[in-house]
């Protein structure tokens, strides 16, 4: 069984979001120039450019496949005991399942945005529940919640 997903969580950002981020970056650069700290302004521009380039270039669609003793995600294969469960996250506005979150002990959750049809997702989840338990929720750190809230 296969499911099409993005290789990590993909955020839907509005034009307003990009405008606000551009204003913040511009403000930091201007403040750093006014404070005679041009290096900080250049560093902010480099990091912002790197982030947006990396997000656009490497956010690609991959296949998630269930094998008899493993779960394959893109080019990586994980043994059956790598994950202790998974969670489905709903998009409140669209009222559809938006993300699948795979949980590992003592590691950051692996979040994948679903690009496949809801019908194919239901089949995939039915098969995945034979492989992993589906949980209601998982613990997110403050940093994770904040980064997801501001869609970084």
């Amino acid at each position: 069984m296969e499911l099409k997903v993005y290789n990590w969580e993909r955020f839907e950002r509005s034009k307003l979001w990009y405008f606000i981020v551009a204003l913040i970056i511009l403000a930091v650069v201007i403040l750093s120039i006014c404070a005679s700290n041009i290096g900080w302004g250049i560093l902010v521009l480099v990091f912002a450019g790197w982030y947006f380039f990396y997000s656009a270039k490497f956010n690609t669609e991959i296949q998630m496949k269930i094998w008899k003793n493993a779960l394959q995600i893109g080019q990586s294969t994980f043994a059956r005991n790598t994950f202790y469960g998974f969670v489905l996250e709903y998009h409140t506005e669209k009222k559809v399942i938006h993300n699948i979150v795979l949980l590992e002990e003592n590691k950051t959750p692996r979040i994948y945005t679903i690009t496949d049809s809801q019908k194919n997702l239901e089949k995939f989840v039915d098969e995945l529940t034979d492989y992993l338990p589906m949980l209601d929720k998982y613990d997110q750190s403050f940093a994770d919640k904040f980064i997801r809230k501001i869609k970084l």
Side-chain angles (χ1 to χ4, degrees), residues 89-138:
E89 294 182 330
Y90 294 89
H91 193 290
T92 53
E93 294 170 7
K94 294 182 180 178
K95 298 189 187 323
V96 295
I97 298 170
H98 184 64
N99 292 327
I100 186 165
V101 183
L102 300 172
L103 304 167
E104 296 178 74
E105 288 292 336
N106 301 319
K107 290 197 176 180
T108 302
R110 295 176 179 267
I111 304 172
Y112 301 94
T113 299
I114 299 159
T115 63
D116 219 328
S117 69
Q118 292 293 302
K119 184 178 178 183
N120 198 32
L121 172 64
E122 289 172 15
K123 292 177 188 175
F124 186 85
V125 168
D126 284 343
E127 193 168 325
L128 187 60
T129 53
D130 294 337
Y131 178 80
L132 288 172
M134 185 165 78
L135 308 173
D136 293 333
K137 60 182 179 176
Y138 65 102

Side-chain angles (χ1 to χ4, degrees), residues 5-11 13 48-63 73-75 111-113 115:
V5 297
Y6 284 107
N7 57 345
W8 63 67
E9 185 173 17
R10 185 172 186 185
F11 296 105
R13 300 176 183 126
W50 170 82
Y51 173 77
F52 287 113
F53 172 77
Y54 191 80
S55 294
K57 178 91 172 143
F58 299 106
N59 198 358
T60 56
E61 190 176 278
I62 60 172
Q63 298 288 326
I73 305 169
Q75 300 299 318
I111 304 172
Y112 301 94
T113 299
T115 63

